[in-house]
């Protein structure tokens, strides 16, 4: 099942790799369980113009987690929970995630609630 999810999420993983290249990558780690490429990047400059995304510390697309220079304790664990979520809902997860954000806003999005609860990282109001 995890392999099928990986294949179905491949388009998002490729987007994640493109975003990693845009974000000026520094180094890469491979995480197993869940399988993730953790790419440490220099800047999320391409997100700075998006309202409420100026302070982004990390983000995830498919099996790629991007960690930025402002990373705080347990932020990577938070991103790994998003990868588990996309493995649970292969292919459709990004659409369900954006629908949740549209209905409830970022912080009350059920996927964010789960990730902040399980990872124990902090949400900083912008
Ligand atoms: Zn999150």
């Amino acid at each position: 099942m995890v392999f099928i999810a990986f294949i179905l999420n491949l388009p998002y993983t490729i987007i994640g790799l493109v975003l990693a290249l845009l974000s000026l990558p520094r180094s890469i780690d491979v995480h197993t369980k869940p399988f993730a490429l953790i790419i440490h990047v220099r800047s999320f400059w391409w997100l700075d113009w998006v309202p409420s995304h100026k302070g982004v510390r990390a983000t995830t697309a498919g099996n790629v987690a991007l960690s930025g220079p402002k990373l705080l304790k347990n932020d990577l664990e938070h991103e790994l929970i998003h990868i588990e979520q996309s493995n649970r809902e292969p292919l459709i997860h990004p659409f369900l995630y954006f629908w949740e954000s549209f209905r409830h806003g970022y912080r009350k999005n059920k996927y964010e609630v789960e990730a902040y609860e399980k990872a124990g990282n902090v949400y900083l109001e912008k």
Side-chain angles (χ1 to χ4, degrees):
M1 181 58 197
V2 174
F3 181 72
I4 293 168
F6 175 81
I7 297 297
L8 290 172
N9 286 328
L10 209 48
Y12 311 120
T13 299
I14 291 166
I15 290 169
L17 292 172
V18 171
L19 293 176
L21 285 176
L22 284 175
S23 308
L24 312 168
R26 283 191 297 115
S27 62
I28 184 166
D29 290 320
V30 178
H31 191 273
T32 51
K33 294 200 179 171
F35 172 73
L37 296 175
I38 297 169
I39 303 178
H40 307 279
V41 300
R42 291 181 176 84
S43 171
F44 290 119
W45 61 270
W46 49 272
L47 261 177
D48 282 351
W49 61 272
V50 181
S52 83
H53 278 73
K54 211 163 167 46
V56 167
R57 307 191 302 258
T59 191
T60 294
N63 288 73
V64 174
L66 304 180
S67 86
K70 297 175 189 159
L71 200 75
L72 297 178
K73 189 171 181 279
N74 295 350
D75 282 349
L76 271 181
E77 288 78 359
H78 177 113
E79 298 309 318
L80 292 172
I81 287 159
H82 285 316
I83 290 174
E84 286 172 1
Q85 291 166 344
S86 71
N87 286 340
R88 286 200 309 255
E89 301 168 337
L91 198 63
I92 57 171
H93 177 71
F95 301 100
L96 298 174
Y97 178 94
F98 285 115
W99 178 241
E100 269 290 308
S101 280
F102 176 73
R103 287 177 59 215
H104 304 291
Y106 168 78
R107 189 57 185 89
K108 289 190 174 139
N109 172 330
K110 70 178 180 184
Y111 300 108
E112 291 302 336
V113 170
E114 179 190 1
Y116 280 106
E117 267 178 27
K118 287 185 176 170
N121 66 329
V122 292
Y123 172 66
L124 300 176
E125 208 73 49
K126 281 148 210 135

